[in-house]
Amino acid sequence: MVSLPIFDKSGKEVGKYELDPAEIAPSINKQLLHDAVVMYQANLRQGTHRTKTRAEVAGSTKKMYRQKGTGNARAGSKRSGVRRGGGHIFAIRPRDYSFRLNKKALKIATRMAIASKIQSEQVMVVDDLAQSEIKTKSVAGALKALGVYGQKIGIALEKHDPVFYRSARNIEGVSVSPVAELNAYSVLRPRKLLITKAALDSLRSSGKSE
């Protein structure tokens, strides 16, 4: 059982949240977490790289000099891949790097990532982060009060909050997501995960219903 302090937006501790990480994920499979992160990173790759073959580079295809009698090694076209300015011998072509793990595995990996963050003491529980108006300054002030401003932070809310999202999106290193849309990569990538009490309650209840 883990006892996580609950903070308010001013950085003051207002209570404790008792949680057994096994409720989130009974065990942590590092290989599954690795596979999930690799998948998300691969899916982010554009794959638009391209290099030219010897048929595509500029230059004459004329034999550079006669075959024998010069003392030099035999040489053909200046476009050859062994020469400066020549084409690539195994030219790179655009490709799709994306692949998919099955949905059940990805769902389990997400919960494992959150449980791993809790065990590593990289999760902060916040009482509430709701705002009445769109104001980046107030979000930045809350992050400073919590001692995490300037770090890579993932913020998990119970559901999508357009006011808070628009207030936080311009702060460097901060990402905001509803808890239902988290994935293993978005949980593990930031230094710390800020999660609201309501979002953590929702995560626990969804685990019990499965």
Side-chain angles (χ1 to χ4, degrees):
M1 188 68 72
V2 176
S3 182
L4 301 172
I6 302 173
F7 299 96
D8 62 12
K9 287 191 282 190
S10 65
K12 182 181 177 182
E13 187 174 329
V14 293
K16 294 284 186 181
Y17 195 102
E18 302 295 332
L19 172 69
D20 183 0
E23 289 183 48
I24 309 295
S27 62
I28 296 172
N29 185 327
K30 291 185 177 180
Q31 185 61 54
L32 177 57
L33 287 177
H34 172 78
D35 292 345
V37 169
V38 168
M39 186 207 77
Y40 288 116
Q41 288 179 327
N43 293 351
L44 289 172
R45 296 184 69 175
Q46 290 184 329
T48 54
H49 42 37
R50 190 178 191 279
T51 58
K52 294 181 179 181
T53 66
R54 63 187 296 168
E56 295 168 321
V57 294
S60 172
T61 57
K62 180 183 176 182
K63 187 171 174 66
M64 296 178 67
Y65 45 80
R66 61 195 174 98
Q67 180 83 342
K68 293 179 177 288
T70 65
N72 295 314
R74 294 171 292 185
S77 165
K78 67 188 292 185
R79 296 188 190 182
S80 169
V82 300
R83 293 193 172 274
R84 181 182 174 88
H88 280 191
I89 295 170
F90 297 104
I92 301 170
R93 287 293 180 255
R95 57 164 290 189
D96 181 8
Y97 286 94
S98 65
F99 66 96
R100 294 292 297 175
L101 298 178
N102 69 68
K103 288 182 180 180
K104 188 175 180 181
L106 292 176
K107 199 170 185 179
I108 294 169
T110 302
R111 299 184 73 87
M112 284 180 178
I114 295 169
S116 173
K117 281 280 188 185
I118 292 170
Q119 290 182 1
S120 302
E121 298 181 353
Q122 294 178 337
V123 170
M124 290 184 73
V125 182
V126 185
D127 186 30
D128 187 27
L129 288 170
Q131 294 193 167
S132 58
E133 59 178 335
I134 300 169
K135 202 166 186 180
T136 301
K137 187 176 180 179
S138 61
V139 176
L143 295 179
K144 287 175 182 176
L146 292 165
V148 294
Y149 186 79
Q151 301 176 21
K152 280 193 174 179
I153 301 297
I155 300 176
L157 307 175
E158 182 187 13
K159 56 186 178 181
H160 179 61
D161 183 344
V163 174
F164 184 82
Y165 172 77
R166 292 174 68 184
S167 299
R169 64 183 175 179
N170 284 337
I171 302 175
E172 187 178 359
V174 174
S175 59
V176 182
S177 174
V179 69
E181 294 179 14
L182 290 176
N183 60 56
Y185 181 61
S186 66
V187 171
L188 295 173
R189 187 168 181 262
R191 186 180 183 88
K192 282 202 172 183
L193 178 67
L194 259 65
I195 186 166
T196 62
K197 183 177 177 295
L200 200 49
D201 288 339
S202 174
L203 184 68
R204 292 175 75 180
S205 63
S206 66
K208 290 174 183 176
S209 62
E210 289 174 1

